[in-house]
Amino acid sequence: MTTYLITGSCGTIGSALVSQLANERTGCTVRCVDNSESLLYFQQRTYQGNPRVESYMGDIRNLDRLCSIMGGVDVVLHTAALKHVGMCEYSPMEAVQTNILGLNNVLKSASDAGVSKVIFMSSDKAVNPTNVLGTTKLMGERLVTAANLNQENGGTIFSSVRFGNVLGSNG
């Protein structure tokens, strides 16, 4: 049985992934990680009857916390990010802390735990970035590429996927 860890599990993309993977037919385990106490509480309530869905309060900025919940994970779907263009412009160091350093924590903890695959959710704003969000997402893609190049044979596979604007998202 495959165990998935979804960072940012309460966001638009993360919660959609949880919903799809929590489906009884998949037979997998889903570890939900988010730093929003209220949203995680409601997500936990939604899946309280599903023993394959586990909820963890945590922040990707905290490497020790990630390491403590990464054991036994097969695939990481990394959706956690600061993604509001204006907020990232106003607080660029917060965007760097989450979108770059937090991602690096995900990559390190996954590699150390022997996770087979990590998929980083980037953004179309990483193409010729003109703002802090796009710049942090482009740097994230570069970190993922570098992690892949630095792996030994048979190590974790790191990849990125770019999303455009998502209709009805909370970002």
Side-chain angles (χ1 to χ4, degrees), residues 103-133:
L103 167 62
N104 198 56
N105 288 341
V106 171
L107 300 175
K108 179 172 178 21
S109 61
S111 180
D112 289 350
V115 170
S116 63
K117 295 178 189 167
V118 175
I119 301 172
F120 164 58
M121 309 303 163
S122 186
S123 167
D124 61 345
K125 298 187 179 45
V127 179
N128 299 320
T130 59
N131 55 49
V132 172
L133 172 61

Side-chain angles (χ1 to χ4, degrees), residues 3-171:
T3 298
Y4 290 86
L5 176 99
I6 301 175
T7 66
S9 67
C10 296
T12 302
I13 303 297
S15 62
L17 290 168
V18 171
S19 177
Q20 291 296 311
L21 292 171
N23 182 317
E24 205 172 284
R25 295 177 304 227
T26 65
C28 64
T29 299
V30 183
R31 292 187 186 171
C32 303
V33 179
D34 207 285
N35 66 358
S36 173
E37 178 189 15
S38 294
L39 293 177
L40 191 63
Y41 169 79
F42 290 119
Q43 185 175 60
Q44 185 179 43
R45 295 277 312 246
T46 299
Y47 297 103
Q48 68 185 5
N50 189 334
R52 294 179 288 98
V53 177
E54 305 168 357
S55 298
Y56 296 87
M57 174 67 72
D59 194 310
I60 61 170
R61 295 178 178 198
N62 184 335
L63 178 60
D64 290 338
R65 180 62 175 147
L66 282 174
C67 289
S68 75
I69 59 179
M70 195 65 73
V73 169
D74 299 298
V75 178
V76 174
L77 302 172
H78 176 55
T79 71
L82 295 183
K83 62 187 181 313
H84 295 273
V85 172
M87 294 300 285
C88 290
E89 290 297 312
Y90 187 73
S91 302
M93 278 310 298
E94 294 300 312
V96 167
Q97 292 275 333
T98 298
N99 297 354
I100 297 175
L101 301 178
L103 167 62
N104 198 56
N105 288 341
V106 171
L107 300 175
K108 179 172 178 21
S109 61
S111 180
D112 289 350
V115 170
S116 63
K117 295 178 189 167
V118 175
I119 301 172
F120 164 58
M121 309 303 163
S122 186
S123 167
D124 61 345
K125 298 187 179 45
V127 179
N128 299 320
T130 59
N131 55 49
V132 172
L133 172 61
T135 301
T136 61
K137 287 297 193 170
L138 179 60
M139 185 63 196
E141 291 177 9
R142 297 293 199 266
L143 286 172
V144 169
T145 299
N148 229 12
L149 293 172
N150 292 324
Q151 278 300 322
E152 296 156 16
N153 290 340
T156 306
I157 297 169
F158 299 99
S159 60
S160 299
V161 61
R162 284 183 179 165
F163 278 84
N165 291 331
V166 177
L167 185 64
S169 71
N170 60 17

